[in-house]
Amino acid sequence: MKILVTGGAGFIGSHTVIELALAGHTPIIIDNFSNSRPSVLDGIESVLGYRPTLHTGDCTNPVFLTSVFEREHIDGIIHFAALKAVGESLEQPLRYYRNNIGSLIDILDMALHHGVRAFVFSSSATVYGDPETLPIPETAPRKPATSPYGNTKQIGEDILRDTTIMANGTLRSAALRYFNPIGAHPSGLIGELPLGTPNNLVPYLTQVAAGNRSTLTVFGNDYPTPDGTGIRDFIHVVDLAQAHIATLEVLFSEKRLLETSPVYNVGTGTGTSVKELIETFERVTGITVPYTVGPRRSGDITSCYADPQKINKELGWKAKLSVAQALEDAWRWQQNSPKQ
Ligand code: NAD
Ligand code: UDP
């Protein structure tokens, strides 16, 4: 199948492009490189042995999108393209709504007008806010979003569901709620390449280990957890990429879905604390990571990990790779990646 991957040069998109190709699909990338570099395509080419088709442009530009959809016969879409920095979204809400909501509307419009059969949307565990139950099932309530970024995921899920209901079977869709993606391709040829100072724990940690930054700050060790640091469900990006292939396979099949536009948690089901993650990194790499403990980061919650039973049962997908493997792969990538 020909699968359009918007944001296909980004962290999760680039890994998904590889998994799509390995599963026999033809990935077609759209990216505007607002948060990625064209050199990602070199890494993908080295892994696959060929360069996937790239259309450089913006998903909020209907003229550009029309030219892509008229040139390519797209069977399915994975829509990754979005801005994702929570703090920045509080400073630039209109830019986030315009980009994340505008692009989703335009891409869905194209999907409806060009006979696309399957659509996968990147949502986030952030929709659960500070959860009341752990592990978190999909039936847990969505909490009022605390940032415009988080709100674009909730609104995005709703837009997708309403559009899928209206399409009445011609378009099938699902939203995947990612937990904490980390790691890199085991080849070391592609990985996470944040522009500027990383917001997320693992890219910050690997940059400290590489000597590009002096110290990691652990944001709080007074949480009500066994070691006092926050707990997350860290999932290897290759496992996450494969969840998209499993989702598309079911959407393209005749299999009846229990809901229109279901949502699925994509996590391992296991929580790992920030301190445990640092210790695991030190064990697998043999490098001591200098860190200090600072205050809690505003907006952070104590614990967040998935109940992944729904995706296990309905889509036959399960995470296979460990946090240790993800950290080894992230480190291999860090050593190959350009100094920031
Ligand atoms: P990323 O920034 O690495 O990738 C997004 C890509 O989309 C980038 O290459 C960027 O240049 C591109 N892009 C953004 N707006 C665009 C537009 N209007 N037109 C064309 N290209 C555009 O981010 P990622 O970590 O790979 O995240 C992918 C998706 O997953 C996003 O929707 C994000 O919100 C969601 N998500 C990510 C995480 C995470 O922790 N990484 C967690 C939950 C959900
Ligand atoms: N964290 C940290 N130091 C950092 C970045 C993150 O201690 O430099 C912690 C953060 O407080 C949270 C966990 O690591 O408990 C994961 O944070 P990240 O930003 O990677 O993902 P989030 O769960 O916030 O989406």
Side-chain angles (χ1 to χ4, degrees):
M1 300 283 182
K2 216 181 227 193
I3 310 296
L4 180 67
V5 187
T6 74
F11 173 43
I12 307 169
S14 56
H15 291 82
T16 304
V17 163
I18 288 177
E19 297 307 314
L20 279 168
L22 295 178
H25 297 291
T26 304
I28 307 287
I29 299 172
I30 285 184
D31 210 295
N32 66 359
F33 298 105
S34 57
N35 197 38
S36 53
R37 293 185 174 88
S39 60
V40 170
L41 270 291
D42 300 335
I44 297 176
E45 183 174 0
S46 302
V47 175
L48 292 179
Y50 70 92
R51 207 171 180 87
T53 304
L54 163 71
H55 296 280
T56 302
D58 200 297
C59 294
T60 61
N61 178 348
V63 176
F64 162 70
L65 290 180
T66 301
S67 76
V68 174
F69 277 80
E70 281 177 355
R71 213 170 321 158
E72 313 280 359
H73 179 81
I74 304 292
D75 299 297
I77 298 175
I78 307 178
H79 182 51
F80 291 110
L83 297 169
K84 62 167 184 176
V86 173
E88 188 181 66
S89 79
L90 289 159
E91 289 155 20
Q92 303 172 23
L94 293 181
R95 181 170 166 240
Y96 270 69
Y97 285 117
R98 187 175 291 124
N99 192 72
N100 294 6
I101 301 299
S103 67
L104 176 62
I105 291 172
D106 287 342
I107 289 279
L108 274 172
D109 216 6
M110 294 292 146
L112 293 174
H113 286 98
H114 292 85
V116 173
R117 289 162 51 205
F119 195 104
V120 182
F121 173 64
S122 297
S123 188
S124 168
T126 189
V127 302
Y128 297 118
D130 197 353
E132 269 134 47
T133 45
L134 288 166
I136 312 171
E138 288 83 351
T139 48
R142 291 190 324 193
K143 295 282 178 61
T146 53
S147 71
Y149 168 73
N151 210 13
T152 66
K153 294 304 177 192
Q154 301 204 9
I155 296 169
E157 289 185 356
D158 295 346
I159 290 174
L160 182 64
R161 196 198 50 244
D162 291 345
T163 307
T164 310
I165 291 170
M166 183 279 297
N168 197 22
T170 58
L171 176 73
R172 306 224 296 172
S173 74
L176 301 184
R177 294 176 174 168
Y178 311 155
F179 281 66
N180 286 61
I182 60 165
H185 194 264
S187 64
L189 294 166
I190 62 164
E192 192 167 8
L193 197 54
L195 303 177
T197 308
N199 292 312
N200 295 111
L201 176 62
V202 171
Y204 204 104
L205 183 156
T206 56
Q207 290 190 14
V208 170
N212 301 354
R213 298 184 188 277
S214 58
T215 320
L216 173 71
T217 305
V218 170
F219 297 140
N221 66 354
D222 57 351
Y223 284 103
T225 62
D227 66 22
T229 64
I231 291 178
R232 296 291 183 274
D233 187 336
F234 296 100
I235 173 170
H236 196 303
V237 64
V238 172
D239 271 332
L240 174 57
Q242 288 172 356
H244 295 78
I245 308 339
T247 309
L248 279 178
E249 270 164 21
V250 170
L251 293 177
F252 281 129
S253 75
E254 295 297 305
K255 187 177 163 170
R256 229 175 66 83
L257 294 170
L258 300 174
E259 305 149 79
T260 306
S261 199
V263 295
Y264 294 102
N265 285 341
V266 193
T268 67
T270 304
T272 303
S273 76
V274 172
K275 201 150 174 271
E276 283 170 336
L277 184 134
I278 297 170
E279 284 162 6
T280 306
F281 181 86
E282 293 185 330
R283 179 169 55 76
V284 298
T285 63
I287 294 169
T288 303
V289 180
Y291 73 87
T292 55
V293 176
R296 292 183 182 194
R297 183 172 62 180
S298 156
D300 274 358
I301 56 173
T302 304
S303 290
C304 175
Y305 50 96
D307 176 348
Q309 286 185 70
K310 186 179 175 194
I311 189 166
N312 297 167
K313 283 190 197 133
E314 292 185 17
L315 305 186
W317 172 91
K318 203 173 190 318
K320 297 189 205 99
L321 303 168
S322 65
V323 169
Q325 280 166 293
L327 293 173
E328 267 184 71
D329 292 336
W331 179 234
R332 189 176 303 111
W333 161 245
Q334 176 66 53
Q335 289 169 292
N336 290 342
S337 61
K339 199 169 168 142
Q340 301 266 340

